[in-house]
């Protein structure tokens, strides 16, 4: 699945991280947020109660997680809450695959940052 750029008049069909800044698209030079918005615009759905969790497909969760975690060493709390909610409906194996693919361990993710070992 690709993250289409949502900037006006942009024809970029897939986010590709730049070599010098992983949060900028190498193709269109727009930020990752412009690409993530495509995943967030969904048709209106009935409101869920505070305890219900929406169904999340692993591919979409991976796309969103990659925009948030790839190249990052710390996770803002609001984004962590969003990811916690999305990851909570996946299997443990799916969660581990997503995190490990993006360079995070489960311990780092739970902590909210990647522990840097001095060397």
């Amino acid at each position: 699945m690709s993250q289409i750029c949502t900037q006006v008049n942009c024809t970029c069909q897939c986010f590709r991280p730049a070599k010098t800044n992983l949060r900028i698209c190498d193709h269109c030079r727009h930020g990752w947020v412009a690409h993530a918005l495509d995943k967030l615009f969904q048709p209106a759905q009935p409101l869920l109660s505070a305890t219900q969790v929406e169904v999340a497909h692993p591919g979409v969760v991976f796309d969103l997680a990659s925009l948030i975690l790839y190249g990052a060493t710390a996770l803002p709390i609001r984004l962590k809450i969003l990811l916690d909610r999305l990851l909570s409906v996946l299997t443990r194996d799916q969660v581990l695959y997503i995190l490990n693919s993006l360079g995070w361990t489960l311990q780092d993710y739970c902590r909210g940052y990647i522990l840097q070992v001095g060397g």
Side-chain angles (χ1 to χ4, degrees):
M1 294 187 187
S2 64
Q3 294 90 21
I4 297 168
C5 187
T6 58
Q7 290 289 330
V8 176
N9 297 326
C10 185
T11 60
C12 182
Q13 295 294 309
C14 182
F15 180 82
R16 287 183 217 111
K19 290 182 174 105
T20 57
N21 186 344
L22 298 175
R23 296 187 175 274
I24 300 292
C25 180
D26 198 35
H27 181 261
C28 68
R29 308 306 296 166
H30 293 128
W32 67 272
V33 173
H35 290 267
L37 290 176
D38 177 57
K39 295 293 180 196
L40 299 177
F41 291 133
Q42 300 294 326
Q45 301 200 2
L47 294 176
L48 300 173
S49 73
T51 58
Q52 288 179 303
V53 178
E54 202 170 332
V55 174
H57 298 284
V60 174
V61 174
F62 180 85
D63 287 346
L64 290 171
S66 68
L67 292 171
I68 296 168
L69 296 176
Y70 184 71
T73 57
L75 188 54
I77 191 65
R78 289 182 179 170
L79 292 177
K80 182 161 187 331
I81 292 168
L82 169 69
L83 279 180
D84 284 348
R85 204 156 160 105
L86 290 170
L87 294 173
S88 71
V89 297
L90 301 180
T91 67
R92 180 176 171 83
D93 288 340
Q94 290 170 326
V95 171
L96 292 174
Y97 173 78
I98 290 171
L99 294 175
N100 293 332
S101 296
L102 301 172
W104 286 69
T105 65
L106 183 58
Q107 293 78 15
D108 289 336
Y109 176 77
C110 290
R111 189 183 310 112
Y113 61 92
I114 295 176
L115 188 62
Q116 302 292 318
V117 179

